[in-house]
Amino acid sequence: MSQKNMRNIGIMAHIDAGKTTTTERILYYTGKSHRIGEVDNGNATMDWMEQEQNRGITIVSAATTCYWKDHQINIIDTPGHVDFTAEVERSLRVLDGAVAVFCAVGGVEPQSETVWHQADRYEVPRIAYINKMDRTGADFFEVIKEIREKLGAVPVPLALPIGKENDYEGNIDLLLMKEIRWNPDNQGETFTISDIAPERQELADEWRESMIDALSAYSDEMTELFLEGEDVPLELIQKVIRQETINRSIVPIFTGSSLKNKGVQPVLDAVINFLPAPDDLPPVRCHHSKKDEDMLLERDENGPLAGLIFKIQQDKEAGPLCFVRVYSGELKSGTAVMNIDKKKRERVNRLLRMHSNHHEQISSVHAGDIAVVIGMKNAQTGDTIGSEGYPIILEKMNFPDPVISVAIEPKTISDQDKLKSALEYLKMEDPTFTAKENEETGQLIISGMGELHLDVLVTRIKDEYKVAANIGNPQVSYRESITQAVTHTELFSKVLGGKEHTAEITLKIEPLERGSGNRFTSEVKKTVLPVDFQEAVERGIRSSMTSGTLMGYETIDIGVTLTAAGFNELTASELAYQSAASLGFDNALRKAAPVLLEPVMNVDIMCPAEYVGDVISSLTQRGGLVSSIESRPAFELVIAQAPLVKMFGYTTTLRSQTQGRGTFAMEFSHFAAKEG
């Protein structure tokens, strides 16, 4: 299939906005599944992982392919929970367009904003679907206002709901200027189109005019027709909507109720009509590893092979399943390709097209498409595969640092090996998950993005990988930094193996602004201290930065400058300079008034108005600072910041305070000096 008839889209939204339910309808209407799965019954096709069915949420982005009106649509269902940010990031990286789902009651919720801005960063064109019009408190026009004000987008409604809550009947299509009602007898597969009822004609005309008005800002041809009072042809309207959606100037808005099987087919039509095909997009930014220069790669089927591994999933029988988005060239089954990042050849034993957790075998995959490769041994999320003769690395993905840890220990010796391999697999799958041994205590510490993230990983270790293990209480990942600038001279002299090794260096260390990272610079000329020895100094400092002097946590936001060095040709060695740097950094750190930093989280709490007072007072007791409170139709949104260490077990507190009606989302904000 040509790139013109292909769409790579994601369904993105806040937790509980109805992403998976919407995807289930899409699969049903495109003929991929013969029944509609429901999240609430635990039988949704896309939430195939046992834990997703038990918890009723999406954890791993599932990839699936379906066909609609001679177009192939690759859908990636992304999780909405903040702990699984990496899953959203890696999906957005390979998408060409997205459907943002909003809840007609909740509107633009905090996590919707986070995901929306992630999509802005990856320049993903979007259409929006306002779901749950049948729910009590649904307000289509309020959500549009929020999309404009909170997301800074230009919403252009192409459909209006007829009625709302229990009276929601169907939609007014502003392109065709007709009313659409879905047939409940066959799960909304067919629908009837009728003329707009006289009592709704005025509203429809008003919104149609505002749609044409918004679009004519981008088309002189439309402006002329509009000003002359002539009808604007449908083809022209669709052409302008498509062009400006791809340019990310506007966001077409649709509405419906996925659970009641209303409003999904127009979204599918919009995916084809308004979201970009792979070759509509500009060339891909990449880095030529041999020439060491940035370049642009054309999205050409006949070009050199370039594909990005954006996700790895373990399969008990087949081993690692590597999800690959091909940007250029053709990937064939049974051939060898180069893993450019790892500089290793990998074999493509089989190629599969995925449908959630079912699959069909294919012989090749072309530019613009997504497939699963079986047979790669060393691949990791974010690796580029290509050809040896053209070693280009596609843009790197950035993942946040984990902020919460637990100790894990196998119950028996036989579980030890099983745990090791389980952790290796999980690290390959999830770049935000780390496991390392604490040198002082000998404990194995695993770290993740939040309580839920770690809980899911631990449950997978026990249930999926059948490892019997004891788990400690969650611990916060602290950091260390300094508060004063210090200059320190370190002299190293030791006789090793009958040879004297000496080095003398002067280091200046200073605190940097929060979030700027560590930095090493050298003011020493190469004539005074040769490059090899300067590099040895940097190696020594970088290795020492991984553990501070207060409690052994990683150090951050420290600037180190090599200001002077003594050099004796006869006794100098790289080992001596590396050791001097390492010792010098530690000694300087002790003098520079070191400080312990703790992670501070952004906390968004949603609860009914009558509980706001209790919620704020308990949050303040936990050291939280409330920055604002926003009123929504169905609840109040409390926006605050609080230290992570005080937020353990907050779910239970909030539930008991709000009679189970409060929910909260938490994400890492910054590190700040630990109080007390």
Side-chain angles (χ1 to χ4, degrees):
M1 186 168 282
S2 76
Q3 292 196 56
K4 272 276 166 277
N5 287 12
M6 200 178 286
R7 300 287 181 274
N8 293 309
I9 65 156
I11 313 270
M12 52 185 244
H14 185 88
I15 192 165
D16 264 359
K19 293 186 302 300
T20 303
T21 307
T22 304
T23 310
E24 288 298 324
R25 300 309 182 270
I26 289 173
L27 297 184
Y28 180 72
Y29 298 137
T30 56
K32 254 302 178 186
S33 48
H34 303 295
R35 61 164 181 79
I36 292 180
E38 297 297 357
V39 176
D40 297 347
N41 305 341
N43 61 3
T45 315
M46 294 299 265
D47 284 353
W48 53 271
M49 200 163 126
E50 191 182 331
Q51 285 214 62
E52 297 184 301
Q53 294 172 359
N54 293 346
R55 293 170 192 262
I57 60 169
T58 303
I59 294 170
V60 271
S61 356
T64 195
T65 302
C66 57
Y67 297 87
W68 182 254
K69 297 186 177 172
D70 298 331
H71 284 68
Q72 175 184 324
I73 304 176
N74 296 324
I75 302 175
I76 295 171
D77 179 35
T78 60
H81 199 285
V82 68
D83 281 12
F84 306 107
T85 307
E87 284 285 343
V88 182
E89 287 266 336
R90 66 172 70 150
S91 306
L92 286 172
R93 173 66 185 81
V94 296
L95 295 178
D96 300 332
V99 179
V101 182
F102 296 98
C103 169
V105 183
V108 177
E109 295 173 276
Q111 187 60 25
S112 328
E113 292 185 49
T114 307
V115 179
W116 190 271
H117 297 314
Q118 281 175 318
D120 281 340
R121 198 163 68 243
Y122 286 105
E123 300 178 351
V124 178
R126 276 145 280 178
I127 58 176
Y129 172 59
I130 298 173
N131 187 22
K132 302 195 178 185
M133 273 311 299
D134 59 313
R135 286 264 305 275
T136 308
D139 189 337
F140 175 78
F141 301 103
E142 181 60 32
V143 180
I144 285 182
K145 194 170 127 198
E146 285 191 10
I147 290 173
R148 184 179 292 111
E149 289 170 3
K150 294 201 161 168
L151 303 176
V154 180
V156 177
L158 304 185
L160 299 177
I162 301 171
K164 62 179 181 177
E165 300 175 356
N166 286 339
D167 302 328
Y168 174 61
E169 297 173 30
N171 292 345
I172 296 172
D173 185 323
L174 294 175
L175 292 174
L176 302 174
M177 286 302 273
K178 296 280 183 190
E179 289 189 357
I180 302 177
R181 283 175 179 76
W182 280 267
N183 189 345
D185 300 339
N186 58 8
Q187 296 186 302
E189 216 171 322
T190 57
F191 42 84
T192 52
I193 296 178
S194 56
D195 289 334
I196 296 174
E199 67 270 20
R200 285 187 282 275
Q201 189 69 49
E202 194 182 327
L203 180 75
D205 288 342
E206 182 193 324
W207 280 93
R208 162 98 175 179
E209 192 169 320
S210 89
M211 173 186 82
I212 303 280
D213 191 26
L215 295 174
S216 53
Y218 306 101
S219 162
D220 295 342
E221 196 181 339
M222 265 180 97
T223 311
E224 279 173 34
L225 291 169
F226 184 51
L227 292 174
E228 286 163 16
E230 289 184 36
D231 270 355
V232 182
L234 182 62
E235 290 74 37
L236 178 59
I237 296 176
Q238 287 184 323
K239 183 181 147 202
V240 176
I241 294 173
R242 178 180 178 82
Q243 173 189 307
E244 296 313 316
T245 303
I246 293 173
N247 290 345
R248 303 191 346 274
S249 319
I250 63 166
V251 178
I253 309 277
F254 296 85
T255 187
S257 162
S258 297
L259 193 64
K260 296 283 193 289
N261 308 318
K262 296 174 182 174
V264 176
Q265 291 95 330
V267 176
L268 274 168
D269 290 339
V271 165
I272 289 167
N273 294 335
F274 307 136
L275 287 179
D279 56 0
D280 288 330
L281 294 165
V284 193
R285 285 194 292 271
C286 58
H287 184 82
H288 197 295
S289 63
K290 269 203 183 124
K291 294 180 185 168
D292 195 21
E293 61 185 30
D294 292 337
M295 54 182 289
L296 293 172
L297 174 72
E298 292 296 333
R299 299 165 184 264
D300 182 6
E301 290 183 26
N302 303 315
L305 172 67
L308 184 75
I309 298 172
F310 65 96
K311 175 181 169 54
I312 291 180
Q313 196 173 296
Q314 294 301 329
D315 184 276
K316 286 191 174 68
E317 279 81 43
L321 307 180
C322 300
F323 286 72
V324 176
R325 162 75 202 262
V326 181
Y327 285 94
S328 163
E330 179 185 19
L331 181 60
K332 290 182 184 162
S333 149
T335 57
V337 293
M338 191 73 178
N339 181 331
I340 314 283
D341 294 74
K342 300 278 185 295
K343 297 189 172 59
K344 285 189 176 158
R345 293 182 79 79
E346 292 268 28
R347 185 123 188 104
V348 179
N349 291 345
R350 286 194 294 154
L351 277 176
L352 305 178
R353 185 169 303 297
M354 289 306 274
H355 167 55
S356 183
N357 60 334
H358 312 298
H359 55 257
E360 58 178 297
Q361 200 156 328
I362 51 177
S363 57
S364 66
V365 57
H366 295 86
D369 209 344
I370 287 174
V372 169
V373 176
I374 292 181
M376 293 192 176
K377 298 279 187 291
N378 305 303
Q380 216 175 350
T381 301
D383 284 355
T384 301
I385 55 170
S387 63
E388 234 166 317
Y390 198 66
I392 52 168
I393 294 176
L394 294 157
E395 231 181 334
K396 278 275 181 245
M397 292 190 264
N398 297 319
F399 296 116
D401 287 338
V403 290
I404 185 169
S405 311
V406 295
I408 184 168
E409 60 177 33
K411 285 186 177 171
T412 65
I413 299 290
S414 65
D415 282 315
Q416 201 157 350
D417 293 338
K418 283 204 297 196
L419 177 62
K420 234 184 194 141
S421 65
L423 294 177
E424 282 306 312
Y425 285 143
L426 290 171
K427 281 200 297 198
M428 276 170 74
E429 281 183 29
D430 185 347
T432 59
F433 168 71
T434 62
K436 61 180 179 203
E437 201 169 291
N438 184 320
E439 287 171 14
E440 285 169 19
T441 63
Q443 277 184 314
L444 189 59
I445 307 288
I446 57 173
S447 309
M449 298 303 300
E451 272 186 285
L452 179 64
H453 186 207
L454 272 188
D455 191 17
V456 166
L457 290 165
V458 166
T459 313
R460 284 187 65 191
I461 290 169
K462 287 177 171 177
D463 296 353
E464 249 178 75
Y465 295 100
K466 304 285 185 280
V467 178
N470 296 321
I471 310 296
N473 289 328
Q475 301 292 320
V476 170
S477 292
Y478 292 101
R479 296 285 186 273
E480 294 184 24
S481 194
I482 54 173
T483 52
Q484 290 173 12
V486 161
T487 302
H488 172 80
T489 301
E490 186 73 27
L491 185 63
F492 179 88
S493 177
K494 216 165 198 173
V495 177
L496 296 166
K499 184 181 183 309
E500 193 181 349
H501 295 262
T502 61
E504 185 186 347
I505 56 167
T506 302
L507 299 174
K508 180 187 176 196
I509 72 168
E510 57 196 325
L512 301 178
E513 199 180 316
R514 278 293 155 265
S516 52
N518 292 326
R519 199 176 61 217
F520 173 80
T521 47
S522 173
E523 291 174 355
V524 175
K525 290 190 169 70
K526 288 168 192 164
T527 49
V528 175
L529 185 66
V531 174
D532 292 356
F533 297 112
Q534 296 208 22
E535 283 173 359
V537 170
E538 182 169 359
R539 277 200 304 277
I541 284 163
R542 296 264 179 220
S543 68
S544 281
M545 283 175 167
T546 56
S547 65
T549 53
L550 282 175
M551 294 174 78
Y553 290 107
E554 191 182 329
T555 61
I556 57 168
D557 306 331
I558 296 178
V560 181
T561 311
L562 177 64
T563 55
F567 179 63
N568 180 336
E569 230 169 84
L570 300 172
T571 57
S573 70
E574 284 188 31
L575 171 78
Y577 280 94
Q578 191 167 334
S579 305
S582 205
L583 292 165
F585 178 76
D586 282 355
N587 290 330
L589 210 58
R590 287 188 179 90
K591 295 183 195 169
V595 61
L596 196 62
L597 305 175
E598 66 177 347
V600 174
M601 310 299 276
N602 288 329
V603 187
D604 298 304
I605 304 165
M606 283 158 279
C607 65
E610 61 265 35
Y611 303 116
V612 168
D614 295 345
V615 165
I616 290 175
S617 70
S618 94
L619 200 61
T620 314
Q621 281 165 12
R622 288 171 179 263
L625 287 173
V626 176
S627 56
S628 66
I629 300 171
E630 293 177 14
S631 288
R632 300 290 171 85
F635 57 82
E636 300 290 302
L637 173 66
V638 179
I639 297 170
Q641 285 195 331
L644 174 62
V645 70
K646 303 274 181 65
M647 293 303 286
F648 289 147
Y650 185 63
T651 312
T652 320
T653 310
L654 183 66
R655 278 189 190 142
S656 61
Q657 271 179 342
T658 59
Q659 296 183 359
R661 289 159 67 196
T663 59
F664 80 104
M666 199 163 65
E667 67 180 325
F668 173 69
S669 166
H670 63 281
F671 281 102
K674 186 171 175 7
E675 309 218 343

